[in-house]
Amino acid sequence: MWRYLLLAVAAGVVGGGAAALYVAWRWSQDLPSLEALENLSLTATTTVYARDGTPIATLASVEDGRAINRSLVRLSEVSPAAVAAVVASEDRRFFQHYGIDWIRLLGGLYNTLRGDLQGGSTITTQVVKNTVLRELATTRSLERKFKEFPLALELERRYSKEEILEMYLNVVFWGGNLTGIRAAAEAYFGKDPSELTLAEGAYLAVLIPAPNERYKDLEGARRRIRRLLDQMVEDGWITPAEAEAAWRQPLVPKGWEARYDAEGNLLEARLVDPSARVMPELAATIAPHFVFEVRKELLRRFGPQKVFGQGGLRVYTTLDLGMQNAAEAAAAEAVEAGRLPDGAQLAIVGLDPEDGRVYAMVGARPGTVGEFNRATQLGDGIGRSPGSAVKPFVYATALEAGWTQATTVEDSPVEYPDPTEPDGVWSPKNFDGTFLNRPVTIRYALDRSLNVPAVRTAEAIGLERVVAKLRAAGFTVPKHPGLAVAIGGVEVTPLRLAAAYASFINGGYVVEPQLIERVEDAEGRVLYQMTPTRKRIWDEVVAYLGWDMLKGYVYDPMGGLARRARIPGRVVGGKTGTSNEARDLWFAGVTRGLSAVVWVGRDDNKPLVLNGRAPSSSVVNPPIWKNFVEEALRGRPGQDFPPPKGLVGVSIDLLSGEPSPQGTLVFFRAERVPARAAVPVGAHVLVGLEPDRDCIAGVGVPSEAVRWKAVPPDEVDRYRCR
């Protein structure tokens, strides 16, 4: 009987052993291709740079469905003290074994048989676990161990110890969304890995086995650091004096408040912000909304797998740090000075008028949380009404059709059939509700931002012609447009408006906004190189005449609505715009070297209120624009542009268009210079009236509130109120 029992036991042992060998053989047959070790592909954080090479943002990559923050490093870029601490803590015989530490392995096996599952992992096997065996990385099983061993031996055969150690430092998990020592050094201590001290390196080393739990226990981490420093002295990594100096360093990881005595003993510790060491998926040091747009462009151009799955891109952008700082300072000043209406947001854009490089972008008022970018996404993404800021394109289209700046248009009441209106007709009105009831030049009409002449101009040259030009310029035009497009019945974003206004100073081209100069992969290969794109919408003569009108809006004596945009020593031009019920306020301006737009409005598109009344774009926007542009272009040339061949300057009366030695210099095609009329156009003079009564306005009345009226000279005294 005993003999049969012994045979049964022996058969069981042999069978069990055979089964174990079979399972081990099966696991060993199901190994990943060893060729994968030749192309260890590690996801890495993408870095975004300003045009001068300054890093401005990082984009976390995605691995196994989670965002991770990892920037690859060379071994030479890590502090030797930190490297020594990690090796001493994780694999003290790393430089003696060949991928498998049998001493540590047997100790782990012994503990496992006693019911305490432990590993005998080495730095080499951890590299394997976190790369080619990533799907098993979170499990502690014999299957993973059986697969790790042959792969670790192969890794040791193919790579040097230094190369394996470099891989390890880039794949080890350090808690939160941190992978790799560069991310850990930044997250825990705000440092580059080359700057880590022995104490900081020891802290990072003792976190590795359970980083999330150990981060919350600074006292426990200190005990582990003490043991590690003593072990490093014992193993000859450091001297006792170096260990003591490291111990006495007052170690305070991000998120902690701690106090030590002179001997290095922890007296008090409090975790005040557990999230402090978590690196955001997108971290921008400046211009966050610009960076959001760069991310969108990267995804559009390369797709999510390249941007997030592989990452490691180096993205060189068009952002000019000086101009961006100027834009952010202008936005902050507007808020601090109370220039913005109640609950208003704002956007600022500045781009190169020649090639569309975006130099500055502010997508929200300071302190706003969220990625919504008002510079590119107003309303449903196609923009908001630009109000009168569209008029320069209407008048430039008329100039293209053969008109001159002295061409006159009637400013008087007019009605157009419109079934959408309550009474079946649309009656456009000027901003102040009054009319001059006489012809005015289109130059004067733009200076005073009159609505009726703009509508009559669009009617005279043809609505189809105007609509085609507006679409070519980048405006979104309704499916069934009417004459209202001439006074703001279109939509546009600040970025697109800046690109369109560039056409007035670059010879007639609408530029395509560019945010990215160049993209390189982790090995320095160029994946994308910017090629400027622009489209001609005017010839250079029409473009310059449009620029001349924009200058007039800022400097003409009959204008003044944009006088707050004037910059000493710099010639500028531009146009304000106010949409219906003052829902949107605009100023688009151009000058040598920059096309810039300032938009102000509410996200809910409600009417704006400032100091209890509807604000004017001529009051709110030009000062913000001036503050931005003046600082952004400080020290750069600011002179006017020379007129192209075929244009001549003539002094005219801005109201009538007649030549006048006392008039304003205006440019014309040489063959279209105006001549003095045989019969004077009415014996009238312009008088400026107070906004609420027919009295000549005094010096205390703001220019934007003045009502202008043409009256016979012998009736002027009637308007002199006491």
Side-chain angles (χ1 to χ4, degrees):
M1 177 179 176
W2 287 106
R3 185 172 55 181
Y4 292 116
L5 183 59
L6 289 173
L7 287 173
V9 170
V13 170
V14 171
L21 288 174
Y22 175 76
V23 170
W25 177 80
R26 288 287 298 173
W27 285 341
S28 66
Q29 299 305 301
D30 191 25
L31 291 175
S33 171
L34 294 181
E35 293 304 313
L37 294 174
E38 295 288 353
N39 300 290
L40 284 176
S41 179
L42 307 178
T43 61
T45 300
T46 289
T47 304
V48 181
Y49 301 88
R51 66 194 301 243
D52 66 356
T54 302
I56 60 171
T58 56
L59 306 179
S61 54
V62 175
E63 194 170 275
D64 298 331
R66 65 184 180 94
I68 67 167
N69 197 297
R70 168 170 50 208
S71 295
L72 302 182
V73 296
R74 297 293 183 188
L75 186 60
S76 59
E77 297 172 337
V78 183
S79 158
V83 173
V86 170
V87 173
S89 177
E90 285 297 292
D91 190 356
R92 63 193 300 187
R93 285 176 289 275
F94 173 67
F95 288 100
Q96 284 77 51
H97 65 64
Y98 197 73
I100 301 173
D101 185 347
W102 294 105
I103 297 174
R104 188 173 184 181
L105 178 63
L106 292 174
L109 180 60
Y110 173 75
N111 289 316
T112 298
L113 293 174
R114 296 179 61 189
D116 180 16
L117 184 62
Q118 292 186 10
S121 293
T122 64
I123 283 176
T124 310
T125 57
Q126 288 188 65
V127 169
V128 170
K129 178 185 73 174
N130 288 293
T131 54
V132 294
L133 291 181
R134 192 179 299 158
E135 73 281 359
L136 298 176
T138 58
T139 65
R140 304 186 71 180
S141 64
L142 289 175
E143 177 188 0
R144 196 191 80 196
K145 289 299 178 185
F146 271 104
K147 290 184 175 182
E148 282 178 357
F149 294 160
L151 292 173
L153 293 173
E154 182 65 13
L155 192 64
E156 290 273 351
R157 185 184 72 81
R158 299 191 183 193
Y159 295 95
S160 69
K161 286 290 187 180
E162 288 73 17
E163 290 172 321
I164 294 171
L165 184 54
E166 182 178 287
M167 294 179 196
Y168 177 74
L169 292 173
N170 282 305
V171 300
V172 66
F173 174 60
W174 252 295
N177 64 343
L178 309 173
T179 301
I181 196 166
R182 185 184 294 279
E186 170 62 32
Y188 288 103
F189 297 110
K191 288 186 171 184
D192 187 85
S194 64
E195 301 171 330
L196 290 170
T197 65
L198 175 58
E200 292 162 344
Y203 175 80
L204 294 181
V206 302
L207 289 184
I208 291 174
N212 288 325
E213 291 76 16
R214 294 187 178 185
Y215 169 71
K216 301 173 184 177
D217 181 13
L218 184 56
E219 185 176 356
R222 289 293 292 174
R223 290 194 298 269
R224 295 182 179 93
I225 290 173
R226 179 74 270 179
R227 291 195 296 268
L228 175 59
L229 292 174
D230 292 342
Q231 177 189 308
M232 293 179 73
V233 172
E234 178 185 339
D235 292 347
W237 285 101
I238 58 176
T239 66
E242 289 170 331
E244 190 61 27
W247 177 251
R248 294 189 180 193
Q249 179 182 334
L251 201 68
V252 185
K254 283 187 181 179
W256 279 91
E257 290 180 353
R259 189 167 58 88
Y260 294 84
D261 64 16
E263 302 301 318
N265 298 307
L266 183 62
L267 301 179
E268 183 181 3
R270 186 165 65 96
L271 182 58
V272 294
D273 184 6
S275 65
R277 52 88 191 236
V278 177
M279 302 289 284
E281 294 182 20
L282 186 155
T285 58
I286 192 172
H289 292 90
F290 178 89
V291 176
F292 296 149
E293 291 304 310
V294 168
R295 181 178 60 184
K296 289 180 183 178
E297 176 64 16
L298 290 173
L299 290 171
R300 185 189 69 80
R301 191 170 293 279
F302 298 110
Q305 175 57 32
K306 188 73 171 178
V307 177
F308 298 128
Q310 178 178 338
L313 303 178
R314 294 196 288 266
V315 183
Y316 298 91
T317 72
T318 61
L319 188 79
D320 184 290
L321 290 179
M323 294 192 186
Q324 180 65 28
N325 284 327
E328 293 185 4
E333 193 278 337
V335 173
E336 293 166 4
R339 299 185 190 278
L340 297 184
D342 302 339
Q345 278 287 350
L346 90 164
I348 301 175
V349 171
L351 57 77
D352 189 316
E354 294 297 327
D355 55 30
R357 285 179 167 89
V358 178
Y359 290 145
M361 178 182 290
V362 174
R365 64 183 290 161
T368 301
V369 177
E371 297 187 12
F372 185 74
N373 187 355
R374 292 142 193 90
T376 62
Q377 297 174 273
L378 289 180
D380 55 7
I382 59 176
R384 294 262 190 95
S385 166
S388 294
V390 75
K391 291 174 181 174
F393 296 88
V394 176
Y395 291 127
T397 304
L399 294 170
E400 186 179 59
W403 290 28
T404 74
Q405 295 189 68
T407 300
T408 57
V409 182
E410 189 73 25
D411 179 34
S412 58
V414 63
E415 294 182 346
Y416 299 97
D418 186 347
T420 65
E421 293 292 328
D423 54 0
V425 296
W426 176 54
S427 303
K429 294 179 174 58
N430 294 324
F431 183 77
D432 62 1
T434 66
F435 305 91
L436 291 176
N437 292 309
R438 59 155 295 162
V440 298
T441 66
I442 61 172
R443 171 74 171 239
Y444 178 86
L446 185 68
D447 280 354
R448 299 305 307 159
S449 198
L450 300 175
N451 288 334
V452 174
V455 173
R456 288 183 181 272
T457 298
E459 180 185 28
I461 63 176
L463 178 61
E464 295 79 6
R465 183 199 295 261
V466 173
V467 166
K469 192 64 70 175
L470 292 177
R471 285 181 172 145
F475 294 90
T476 299
V477 181
K479 185 176 181 180
H480 302 291
L483 289 172
V485 299
I487 55 175
V490 293
E491 293 178 318
V492 73
T493 65
L495 183 61
R496 287 293 170 186
L497 191 60
Y501 264 72
S503 67
F504 293 115
I505 59 172
N506 67 11
Y509 297 91
V510 171
V511 294
E512 181 64 28
Q514 305 285 347
L515 286 81
I516 300 174
E517 292 270 6
R518 185 176 75 260
V519 178
E520 298 176 358
D521 65 13
E523 284 72 42
R525 292 186 292 264
V526 176
L527 305 179
Y528 166 76
Q529 182 70 51
M530 184 196 79
T531 301
T533 303
R534 58 186 200 169
K535 176 177 61 178
R536 182 180 285 282
I537 61 170
W538 328 106
D539 63 33
E540 62 175 354
V541 169
V542 172
Y544 191 89
L545 293 174
W547 159 243
D548 199 39
M549 294 186 75
L550 293 177
K551 286 190 299 180
Y553 189 72
V554 177
Y555 298 106
D556 281 355
M558 293 298 182
L561 293 182
R563 70 182 188 279
R564 294 177 175 85
R566 296 174 185 174
I567 300 174
R570 173 168 295 279
V571 180
V572 306
K575 181 70 183 73
T576 57
T578 304
S579 65
N580 289 342
E581 299 183 89
R583 297 174 186 271
D584 302 274
L585 308 179
W586 301 79
F587 183 72
V590 285
T591 185
R592 183 177 290 272
L594 198 65
S595 177
V597 170
V598 174
W599 168 87
V600 173
R602 291 177 61 101
D603 287 343
D604 58 13
N605 204 25
K606 291 182 179 179
L608 295 168
V609 177
L610 179 63
N611 298 325
R613 58 186 297 181
S616 167
S617 56
S618 62
V619 174
V620 175
N621 298 57
I624 304 173
W625 187 93
K626 172 186 178 294
N627 288 343
F628 163 46
V629 175
E630 183 174 30
E631 185 60 34
L633 297 178
R634 188 175 298 280
R636 306 188 191 192
Q639 68 271 27
D640 200 352
F641 300 95
K645 186 178 180 180
L647 291 182
V648 295
V650 178
S651 293
I652 67 168
D653 176 78
L654 292 177
L655 179 64
S656 67
E658 293 186 50
S660 170
Q662 292 78 39
T664 301
L665 185 67
V666 173
F667 280 89
F668 297 87
R669 294 182 177 89
E671 69 276 12
R672 300 298 304 273
V673 172
R676 183 174 294 277
V679 179
V681 184
H684 290 78
V685 295
L686 277 180
V687 294
L689 305 179
E690 294 178 3
D692 302 317
R693 58 178 187 158
D694 288 339
C695 297
I696 294 177
V699 294
V701 179
S703 61
E704 64 272 7
V706 173
R707 295 184 297 117
W708 295 90
K709 185 174 183 179
V711 300
D714 58 353
E715 296 184 12
V716 172
D717 286 343
R718 289 178 45 199
Y719 298 90
R720 302 187 190 278
C721 305
R722 295 185 181 276

